[in-house]
Amino acid sequence: MSKTEIDQLTAEFFGAFDNRDGRRADVARIRRLMLPQGVIVCAAPTFTVYSVEEFVEPRERLLNDGRLVGFAEWETSERTEIVGGIATRTGEYRKSGTLDGRPYGGGGTKTFQFVRTPEGWRIAAFSWHDEA
């Protein structure tokens, strides 16, 4: 059951950024999927460390102000290891959309650290590396 729950949590994470077909991206759900003290790290192209709020707020604006439209991100492969109440998932992903009227896309690798809380599995941390 844990792997299924982590698969669903990961799919919900990627779905938070989806604004295809005129829908509003629900980036705010990241606050529910993560521990409030979670850590988010972009390793490349520019190394940056974010709190949950520092990550969510600018993405809400970008995905809902009309600059980045028709956007989606999806996992293309993954490896998940679960040991008791902790889990690690490393996966490749792709993304595409239109940014400021021009095609936007790419991919990379995301790594997630999950913990089982009394409320269920949550993301404790994630990091990503975008391909050049």
Side-chain angles (χ1 to χ4, degrees), residues 28-77:
R29 86 171 77 159
I30 300 299
R31 293 180 182 106
R32 179 177 51 78
L33 301 176
M34 291 194 72
L35 297 176
Q37 304 82 2
V39 176
I40 301 162
V41 178
C42 176
T46 304
F47 182 82
T48 311
V49 179
Y50 301 93
S51 69
V52 174
E53 287 305 314
E54 290 167 337
F55 177 81
V56 168
E57 289 179 12
R59 283 155 185 84
E60 280 182 310
R61 283 191 305 276
L62 178 65
L63 288 160
N64 292 316
D65 71 358
R67 287 191 57 218
L68 180 56
V69 297
F71 183 79
E73 261 187 355
W74 61 95
E75 204 172 42
T76 59
S77 66

Side-chain angles (χ1 to χ4, degrees), residues 91-106:
E92 304 299 313
Y93 73 95
R94 302 293 305 161
K95 59 185 174 182
S96 70
T98 303
L99 177 62
D100 295 329
R102 289 191 275 202
Y104 173 78

Side-chain angles (χ1 to χ4, degrees), residues 93-122:
Y93 73 95
R94 302 293 305 161
K95 59 185 174 182
S96 70
T98 303
L99 177 62
D100 295 329
R102 289 191 275 202
Y104 173 78
T109 304
K110 280 196 166 86
T111 333
F112 295 89
Q113 295 293 315
F114 298 94
V115 293
R116 189 182 350 231
T117 72
E119 294 78 36
W121 287 97
R122 296 292 181 268

